[in-house]
Amino acid sequence: MTVVRSVVLGVGSYLPARCLTNNDLAKMVDTSDEWIAQRTGIRSRHVAAERELTSDLAYAAATAALEDAGVEAGTIDLIVLATSTPDNTFPATATTVQAMLGITTGAAFDVQAVCSGFVFALATADALLRSGGGKRALVIGSETFSRILDWEDRSTCVLFGDGAGAVVLDAREQPGTADDRGILTSHLRSDGRYKDKLYVDGGPSSTRTVGHLRMEGREVFRYAVGMITDVIDDALAATGLTAGDIDWFVPHQANRRIIDGSARKIGFPPEKVVVTVDRHGNTSAASIPLALDVAVKDGRIKRGDLVMLEAMGGGFTWGSVLLRW
Ligand code: UT7
């Protein structure tokens, strides 16, 4: 019996021109290249220009993904954009991007699951495509976390960066086996008891301000590997695949130690792990599509490869998506 699967047709990304190194940050707060590199693996990150908005980053990534896929913007009937740093409280940044792309049909909306946003957006778009809620989707992760950082708080401002990534998904009939192309399974989780571990201390309803990011880093770290590996196990169990079957592990890029710890626990060898946190920092919902784009463009991820995506972040939210490229 055939099934509909969401097949990735193309990927694209965008990084703002300005690059901030650890040494640049050491001139702003009491930190050092050595501390940041040792504790996080980050060496540099990109920061959006003054007039550059989340929608601008998203538009650039979406345009690159459409070009990579070889499809016209007019064929897109669903845009799901993951962000925690929208241009405005409303409308959804996705509708701004829709207008920038000249699309006037279909639907566009934002998904907010902080660092897990791209995984949540992919799973949402996949569910809609599989149930006939669209034929072709743009799934975007775009963030300007530089706008919500407290640039005097060394425990957070050194960790994050700006950027955007996007994929084009196409609903296609497949035989219905683990050899199919496209999204094979997705697993989303959240637990709001941990909402105060990583949050922004402002918002339209609470303070009528935007607020700044606050994090109990050590606490987030404590839960991260366990939550990440749980949903990877769920994806493997759902498909009957094993860690040895996975060609590429493309994790959310928050901290090199979390990535290495998760890969080690599951049994993914280091050469199969895509790491970009050193150059991008934590770009929240944008980190997975940015890493995907790097590994596709440098020739590592090829058509037919099995790719495991995972993320964990504020909420807490966490999730995995297993797909065949
Ligand atoms: O995307 C998902 C969300 N985020 C994450 O996944 C982040 C998860 N957490 C982490 O990645 C790590 O906990 C951090 C990188 C944030 C911190 O690393 P850590 O090894 O957990 O360090 P710590 O928070 O335990 O701090 C150790 C020390 C502290 O000094 P004392 O109290 O031991 O004297 C901090 O004040 O390091 C100090 N410190 C710094 N020193 C230099 C904190 N930030 C800095 C800094 N430069 N930027």
Side-chain angles (χ1 to χ4, degrees), residues 29-32 35-36 39-40 115 154-156 158-160 198 215-221 224 252 254-255 257-258 282 312-314:
V29 286
D30 182 15
T31 191
S32 64
W35 189 95
I36 302 169
R39 301 280 176 140
T40 72
C115 295
R154 69 175 183 172
S155 72
T156 53
V158 303
L159 303 174
F160 296 88
L198 172 50
M215 175 165 71
E216 291 178 38
R218 207 176 305 187
E219 281 289 287
V220 180
F221 199 103
H252 168 52
N255 185 314
R257 288 152 62 208
I258 296 174
N282 180 350
M312 181 267 182

Side-chain angles (χ1 to χ4, degrees), residues 82-134:
T83 190
S84 298
T85 46
D87 291 1
N88 297 91
T89 303
F90 75 78
T93 301
T95 58
T96 301
V97 175
Q98 184 192 29
M100 291 166 96
L101 289 168
I103 303 171
T104 54
T105 54
F109 59 92
D110 288 359
V111 160
Q112 209 273 59
V114 204
C115 295
S116 310
F118 189 74
V119 165
F120 276 60
L122 260 188
T124 303
D126 176 47
L128 281 165
L129 292 186
R130 281 189 291 109
S131 62

Side-chain angles (χ1 to χ4, degrees), residues 178-195:
D179 291 332
D180 289 354
R181 278 189 77 201
I183 295 177
L184 301 176
T185 190
S186 55
H187 299 266
L188 306 182
R189 301 279 300 278
S190 61
D191 189 339
R193 284 178 300 173
Y194 302 108
K195 66 185 175 61

